[in-house]
């Protein structure tokens, strides 16, 4: 057996130790499945000499789950084979159920997805009492479902209602929560205590029975025919669709699997589960989400875009210039990751107000039971409000987060940069202004970099790192390390106007405004955005970011292009944005209203004045509106890759999802092109360009992929 060690001691206790060769974690690879089949068959054949079985791991984690590379290789024609392979794994789990001997899972570390399903195959589960251990089923976030028994067993152990967040939402949990739920039966203090306690339990329980094999067992809370459960199941699908818009088949399949499986016997429920999983495994949605949320995400976290030469680095003291919403959020991000920071503004009152933002967020955590009062006080103490530049002396990183104005940014750069530690770096939190031009105010442009945080910082995970023309590898590497240090996701882009995220984000909102300008009803525009999978419609987004800011950015761009002797081309929708601000006095949400009204104490609603832009004779189609919003962003993303603004596919996909809100079901903007098929994408984009203009012109890099039959990888 290549992936499992089989050891039987003198007392007849067999330990199956999972130890995938040449891998830091255990996965359900083909080799593991073959080894597991052999091990279970050997247990069955020799059960007369066996007293019990311990399932253990030689890795620091217990088991990582399915082999996702194998899933990525599946096509629709492989569904039947996938079903048979799922059933084969379950058949071995069933053999353990009916072995007639006690089976104990010794959880020394994290067990997710298929890893926790292996644990559920045991009669008894013991875990180390370590808050760092995670358990549960994240499959829904990858477009899959827990199909090796996870759905069926969780429903039978917890009940339909209680299992819902752990299955449909993919909520993970620690060992103490697992113990409260009864999913883990015992906790021990150290990994060394696992096997000794497992042997004691085996000795005391020679003939255990799984709950689902006990004739007296009933599903907690009742079956789908129970009135209370029936009432829940009547409304739950509609609530789910409100969130998924039918773009995510996995949560809908999980809910169906839960309800269908709870109405039949255990073995039938397991087959139903296998069928649902097989269908998801061969679907495009799973490939998209696995590509983004496993492979691309791991590339980002492992530093695939980080320069390889410089040594790893940690910031020890960070200065933040500007205590507005962005600067206050950056201070919060530092403090909650135990990085001391100085929050500086023009006077102490403003700096203190910025610090109060962290205090309010910490108070919420205390109220929610996520933090103690003393922990909150210690965290808040890491944020020092300041009004004097001298208080920034010795910082090894300073981030300016002042207003988007070149002169102001240049002024604070010249004032503060000399106060940095000898090898310190300076960063600008700008969303649009080119870093190379901002670095002209720096005496050390090689130590100048862009760090574009997203608002609100406490919720948005992405940070866009912008490399200026003179930014050194060491500075870029330090910026990358710092972003990971504060728990954010770094992507690296090269310098250009709007960089990547702001540039592509602008295409989304302006396409929505262009639709409105064409006479399409605002409600249709907003609904198309949501149905496509964007978090909110384009008009709502531009309200939040500010129409007046959009006007300001366009004016700055116009000036810069004129200074460079280049023409400024007015894009569809710009004239309407200008009218909203100048003519109608509607600058956005912060200014009292924009495309939406914001009545106090009531939900926002579209401004009735938008009716004046509607043209009853304009024909429109929801699918085309959705295509325009998604294709426009994907085209601009591909253009960024072609121009060298982006250097990698993983940065494009992760950046588009976490920075722009590009629909997660697509796997990101470039994976969207892959999933459509480059040839089909080109044909559709050409049709949109013919109808709506050159902004839908396909970059040559996409045409080349289509001609070669290749994907973006």
């Amino acid at each position: 057996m290549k992936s499992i060690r089989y050891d039987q001691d003198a007392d007849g206790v067999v330990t199956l130790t999972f130890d995938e060769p040449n891998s830091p974690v255990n996965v359900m690879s083909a080799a593991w499945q073959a080894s597991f089949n052999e091990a279970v068959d050997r247990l069955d054949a020799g059960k007369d000499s066996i007293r019990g079985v311990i399932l253990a791991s030689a890795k620091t984690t217990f088991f990582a789950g399915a082999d996702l590379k194998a899933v990525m290789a599946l096509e629709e024609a492989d569904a039947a084979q996938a079903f048979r392979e799922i059933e084969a794994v379950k058949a071995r789990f069933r053999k353990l159920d009916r072995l007639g001997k006690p089976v104990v899972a010794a959880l020394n570390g994290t067990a997710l997805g298929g890893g926790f399903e292996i644990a559920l195959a045991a009669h008894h589960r013991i875990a180390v009492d370590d808050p760092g251990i995670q358990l549960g089923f994240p499959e829904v976030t990858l477009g899959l479902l827990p199909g090796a028994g996870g759905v069926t067993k969780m429903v039978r152990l917890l009940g339909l209602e209680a299992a819902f967040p752990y299955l449909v939402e993919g909520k993970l949990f620690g060992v103490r929560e697992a113990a409260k739920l009864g999913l883990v039966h015992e906790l021990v203090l150290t990994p060394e205590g696992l096997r000794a306690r497992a042997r004691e339990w085996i000795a005391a329980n020679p003939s255990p029975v799984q709950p689902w094999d006990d004739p007296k067992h009933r599903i907690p809370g009742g079956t789908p025919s129970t009135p209370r459960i029936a009432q829940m199941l009547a409304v739950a699908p509609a609530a789910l669709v409100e969130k998924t818009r039918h773009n995510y088949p996995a949560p809908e399949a999980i809910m169906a699997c839960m309800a269908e499986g709870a109405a039949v016997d255990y073995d039938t429920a397991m087959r139903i589960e296998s069928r649902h999983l097989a269908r998801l495994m061969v679907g495009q949605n799973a490939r998209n989400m696995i590509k983004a949320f496993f492979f691309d995400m791991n590339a980002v976290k492992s530093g695939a875009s980080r320069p390889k030469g410089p040594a790893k680095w940690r910031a020890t003291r960070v200065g933040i210039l500007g205590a507005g919403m962005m600067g206050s959020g950056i201070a919060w991000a530092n403090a909650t990751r135990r990085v001391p920071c100085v929050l500086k503004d023009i006077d102490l009152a403003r700096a203190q107000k910025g610090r109060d933002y962290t205090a309010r967020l910490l108070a919420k955590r205390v109220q929610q039971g996520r933090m103690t009062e003393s922990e909150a006080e210690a965290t808040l103490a890491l944020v020092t409000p300041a009004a004097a530049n001298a208080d920034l002396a010795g910082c090894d990183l300073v981030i300016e987060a002042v207003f988007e104005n070149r002169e102001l940014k240049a002024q604070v750069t010249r004032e503060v940069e000399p106060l940095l530690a000898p090898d310190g770096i300076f960063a600008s939190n700008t969303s649009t202004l080119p870093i190379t031009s901002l670095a002209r105010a720096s005496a050390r442009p090689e130590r100048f970099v862009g760090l574009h945080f997203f608002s609100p910082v406490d919720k948005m995970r992405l940070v866009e790192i912008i490399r200026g023309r003179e930014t050194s590898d060491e500075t870029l590497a330090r910026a990358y390390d710092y972003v990971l240090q504060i728990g954010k996701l770094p992507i690296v882009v090269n310098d250009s106007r709007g960089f990547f995220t702001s540039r592509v984000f602008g295409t989304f909102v302006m396409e929505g405004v262009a639709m409105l300008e064409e006479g399409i009803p605002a409600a249709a525009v907003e609904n198309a955005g949501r149905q496509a999978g964007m978090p909110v419609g384009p008009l709502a987004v531009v309200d939040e970011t500010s129409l007046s800011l959009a006007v300001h950015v366009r004016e700055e761009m116009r000036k810069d292009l004129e200074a460079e002797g280049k023409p400024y081309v007015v894009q569809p929708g710009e004239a309407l944005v200008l009218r909203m601000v100048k003519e109608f006095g509607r600058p956005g949400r912060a200014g009292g209203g924009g495309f939406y009204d914001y009545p106090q104490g009531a939900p926002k609603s579209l401004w009735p004045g938008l009716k004046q832009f509607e043209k009853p004779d304009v024909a429109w189609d929801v699918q085309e509106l959705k295509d325009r919003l998604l294709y426009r962003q994907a085209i601009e993303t591909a253009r960024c890759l072609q121009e060298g603004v982006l250097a990698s596919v993983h940065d494009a996909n992760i950046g588009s999802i976490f920075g722009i809100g590009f629909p997660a079901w697509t796997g990101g903007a470039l994976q969207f092109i892959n999933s459509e098929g480059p040839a089909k994408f080109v044909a559709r984009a050409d049709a949109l360009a013919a109808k709506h203009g050159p902004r839908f012109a396909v970059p040559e890099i996409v045409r080349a992929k289509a001609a070669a039959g290749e994907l973006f990888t």
Side-chain angles (χ1 to χ4, degrees), residues 295-318:
F295 292 106
D296 289 343
M297 184 72 81
N298 283 344
V300 167
K301 290 182 176 179
S302 64
S305 295
R306 179 191 188 276
K308 300 297 183 280
K312 293 290 184 182
W313 182 80
R314 291 182 68 82
T316 58
R317 188 165 180 264
V318 175

Side-chain angles (χ1 to χ4, degrees), residues 670-681:
L670 293 183
Q671 181 59 24
F672 175 65
I673 298 176
N674 288 344
S675 63
E676 292 285 283
K680 179 184 173 185
F681 183 91

Side-chain angles (χ1 to χ4, degrees), residues 258-280:
M258 292 171 70
E260 293 166 11
V264 296
D265 64 272
Y266 174 80
D267 291 313
T268 302
M270 291 286 270
R271 284 195 300 277
I272 290 171
E273 181 188 89
S274 298
R275 291 192 178 102
H276 279 290
L277 176 58
R279 179 172 58 82
L280 293 173

Side-chain angles (χ1 to χ4, degrees), residues 34 63 67 194 221 233 254 298 327 329 405 446 452 512 533 610 660 710:
F63 209 99
D67 181 0
L194 283 170
L233 292 176
I254 292 172
N298 283 344
N405 178 280
E446 74 280 1
H452 176 203
L610 298 181
I660 305 164
E710 297 175 349

Side-chain angles (χ1 to χ4, degrees), residues 361-663:
L361 291 177
L362 291 172
K364 284 184 182 178
R365 285 196 174 185
V366 172
Q367 189 177 14
Q368 294 164 352
R370 298 168 57 196
M371 181 180 274
T372 65
E373 288 279 4
S374 60
E375 288 171 338
E377 289 173 6
T379 302
L380 186 60
L382 295 170
V383 181
T384 303
N389 287 336
D391 291 330
L392 299 165
C395 288
D396 45 16
L397 167 64
V398 166
I399 304 168
E400 66 85 355
V402 301
F403 186 67
E404 290 284 276
N405 178 280
R406 286 181 182 280
E407 290 72 25
L408 177 59
K409 287 179 179 291
Q411 177 187 333
V412 298
T413 300
R414 286 190 290 265
E415 289 176 352
V416 173
E417 189 182 57
L419 300 172
L420 277 168
D423 61 347
I425 62 174
F426 194 96
S428 175
N429 174 60
T430 177
S431 58
T432 57
L433 299 176
I435 290 300
T436 301
S437 63
L438 293 180
R440 292 182 190 134
S442 169
R444 299 183 300 175
E446 74 280 1
R447 292 189 176 274
F448 195 101
V449 69
L451 285 179
H452 176 203
F453 287 80
F454 294 77
S455 184
V457 178
D458 60 290
K459 294 179 180 176
M460 298 293 282
R461 296 175 62 188
L462 193 77
V463 176
E464 188 177 31
I465 304 174
I466 304 101
R467 180 173 197 159
R469 195 171 297 131
E470 296 185 60
T471 304
S472 69
D473 278 356
E474 183 178 23
T475 298
L476 184 62
R478 288 187 174 191
Y480 203 102
D481 294 341
Y482 165 71
V483 173
L484 289 176
Q485 182 183 355
I486 61 171
K488 302 292 185 183
L489 295 173
I491 63 166
V492 176
V493 305
N494 289 312
D495 198 18
S496 76
R497 191 175 310 283
F499 319 125
F500 162 52
T501 54
S502 294
R503 177 171 160 180
V504 175
F505 171 79
T507 67
F508 167 60
V509 298
M510 292 311 295
E511 193 62 30
V513 178
M515 293 173 181
L516 187 64
E517 194 174 54
E518 291 166 17
I520 297 169
V525 174
E526 294 295 82
N527 284 329
R530 289 193 293 268
Q531 287 181 35
M534 298 298 293
V536 293
L539 305 180
V541 171
V542 76
D543 259 13
E544 294 289 343
T545 56
S546 169
L547 290 160
S548 56
L549 178 61
V551 171
H552 171 76
V553 168
R554 297 283 168 176
E555 286 301 314
E556 289 290 310
M557 186 184 299
R558 184 193 298 273
K559 291 177 186 176
D560 289 348
L561 289 172
E562 287 176 354
E564 296 170 14
K566 298 176 182 177
Y568 178 81
V569 180
V570 177
Q571 295 295 320
E574 284 187 39
L576 181 53
V577 171
L578 191 61
R579 286 187 68 193
M580 288 291 291
V581 176
K582 304 289 188 182
E583 182 179 337
F584 302 113
R586 300 187 66 83
R589 181 168 188 169
F595 290 113
Y596 282 79
D597 282 330
Y598 300 90
Q600 190 170 2
K604 69 182 180 184
S605 59
L606 284 165
W607 177 47
L610 298 181
K611 285 285 184 180
Q612 66 186 290
F613 305 125
E614 291 184 19
K615 299 175 183 176
D617 57 337
V618 171
W620 53 272
D621 173 76
V622 172
Q623 186 58 51
E624 179 161 306
L625 299 186
K626 290 161 62 176
D627 284 352
R628 286 174 63 178
L629 293 172
L630 296 184
Y631 271 68
R632 183 69 186 89
Q633 296 178 77
I635 286 168
E636 199 66 27
T637 299
R639 192 170 286 126
C640 287
L641 188 66
Q642 179 171 289
E643 294 174 2
V645 176
L646 285 166
S648 70
V649 172
H650 62 259
D651 281 343
N653 287 332
I654 294 300
S656 63
I657 292 171
F658 288 93
I660 305 164
F662 200 78

